[in-house]
Amino acid sequence: MRLVDNLWTTRRKPASNRVDNFNCLTGLLPSSSASERVCADSSLRRLVVWGSLCLSMALLALQAQPAQATTKSIDHYKLYAHSRIINYEQYKCLSRIIYKESRWNPQAKNGSHFGLGQMRSEHYRTLDAYRQIDATIKYITNRYGSMCNAWRFHERVGHY
């Protein structure tokens, strides 16, 4: 029976059959000429393929980011709206209206209506999300008196 000098080591020598993913990925791809395959030793071709693979992965990652950014942005918009309307019940009514109209998307468009509050004004369309919230609150306050009055009207008629 042999003594083990290091209990954490399971092998005496390093593994000999290491997998080279780069050669596996690029070895089967066609080269610039259709008649020949990419040679495993062709470093220039490997770099081109490797670069295009990295670029593809980066583009896929960028496409996934807006969903996360939108979720964070929606939270920021809600916090901003709540800072403008201190009463929680009134804030909930405003939140319901904006969710129903635009799902908190400042670029929402429905026919001739734009933004968070789905207003018709071209000026409203050019505002950022925070100014849209201010304009929506001002409109609702002037027309209905409160956010909950506007929500009750919205439930009854289907728009505000």
Side-chain angles (χ1 to χ4, degrees):
M1 185 164 158
R2 292 174 58 168
L3 292 175
V4 178
D5 53 303
N6 186 350
L7 293 176
W8 298 106
T9 305
T10 57
R11 288 189 197 124
R12 291 282 178 209
K13 56 184 175 181
S16 60
N17 56 352
R18 191 174 57 102
V19 176
D20 187 1
N21 289 331
F22 189 72
N23 283 332
C24 291
L25 289 174
T26 59
L28 300 174
L29 295 174
S31 68
S32 58
S33 68
S35 63
E36 66 180 65
R37 293 284 182 190
V38 173
C39 180
D41 297 328
S42 173
S43 60
L44 181 60
R45 288 184 184 150
R46 273 197 276 162
L47 285 175
V48 170
V49 171
W50 183 251
S52 60
L53 287 173
C54 288
L55 184 61
S56 299
M57 293 303 291
L59 289 174
L60 288 173
L62 285 176
Q63 287 178 350
Q65 281 183 337
Q68 296 169 350
T70 303
T71 303
K72 289 179 183 177
S73 298
I74 289 172
D75 291 339
H76 288 281
Y77 303 152
K78 288 180 179 181
L79 283 171
Y80 181 80
H82 199 354
S83 74
R84 297 292 183 242
I85 302 173
I86 304 301
N87 184 326
Y88 183 65
E89 291 302 317
Q90 294 295 320
Y91 163 74
K92 285 193 327 189
C93 292
L94 175 69
S95 182
R96 288 180 189 134
I97 290 170
I98 292 179
Y99 181 79
K100 184 90 170 173
E101 292 291 329
S102 66
R103 301 286 195 259
W104 287 94
N105 179 4
Q107 280 80 37
K109 183 175 188 257
N110 185 5
S112 62
H113 297 78
F114 308 101
L116 292 171
Q118 291 294 291
M119 304 287 189
R120 270 192 189 180
S121 167
E122 287 288 329
H123 170 70
Y124 183 84
R125 180 170 135 175
T126 62
L127 299 175
D128 69 347
Y130 302 103
R131 301 294 78 82
Q132 288 181 17
I133 291 169
D134 290 337
T136 303
I137 291 170
K138 183 178 178 183
Y139 170 78
I140 289 173
T141 303
N142 288 338
R143 179 156 182 185
Y144 301 100
S146 75
M147 306 303 135
C148 289
N149 288 344
W151 176 245
R152 283 190 286 275
F153 181 84
H154 191 286
E155 285 183 312
R156 194 170 61 246
V157 178
H159 68 280
Y160 75 102

